[in-house]
Amino acid sequence: MAEERINAEQVQHVASLAKLEFTPDQLAMFTPQLEKIIGMFEELSKVDTTGVPVTSRMSDHTNTLREDVAVKSDEALREALLKNAPETANGLIKVPAIIDESGDGE
């Protein structure tokens, strides 16, 4: 059997850092999946890429963004969009506060 690259305790630790909670069944499912992913990266690292130019994007397109211009939205459209939000306040979408309880300041 191949050397273990990641175990359930490590997956649980990373999940807690990401503020995720896994049930034991989910942990049993995700651990082997992450093991396979790590194995794929190790396999890719063995590929000889000598002479292959560095690729930062798959397209020659650069800066294909539209100009960032504020426009007045249609009131009816705005109301329709707000109806899809689970909670609103003062014409805005209300979201829960995210508070870092890790104590490490990051």
Side-chain angles (χ1 to χ4, degrees):
M1 181 167 177
E3 180 182 334
E4 183 181 76
R5 295 177 193 95
I6 192 165
N7 60 42
E9 290 77 26
Q10 291 168 319
V11 173
Q12 187 65 49
H13 175 69
V14 172
S16 69
L17 292 174
K19 307 266 189 241
L20 299 173
E21 293 182 17
F22 292 148
T23 66
D25 288 341
Q26 290 171 323
L27 195 57
M29 179 181 68
F30 289 136
T31 301
Q33 287 178 358
L34 289 171
E35 176 76 22
K36 286 180 184 178
I37 291 168
I38 292 170
M40 287 183 225
F41 275 99
E42 287 178 350
E43 188 173 328
L44 285 172
S45 70
K46 296 175 187 173
V47 175
D48 180 14
T49 57
T50 304
V52 177
V54 175
T55 304
S56 61
R57 62 178 72 103
M58 299 304 295
S59 169
D60 291 335
H61 296 272
T62 57
N63 298 329
T64 56
L65 304 173
R66 66 172 169 78
E67 187 177 347
D68 188 12
V69 178
V71 294
K72 179 102 171 116
S73 65
D74 176 68
E75 186 65 26
L77 175 60
R78 189 169 86 55
E79 289 299 323
L81 292 171
L82 286 174
K83 285 181 183 178
N84 289 317
E87 192 173 352
T88 62
N90 302 319
L92 303 171
I93 297 173
K94 189 172 180 181
V95 297
I98 298 176
I99 299 171
D100 181 7
E101 297 175 5
S102 68
D104 62 7
E106 292 184 20

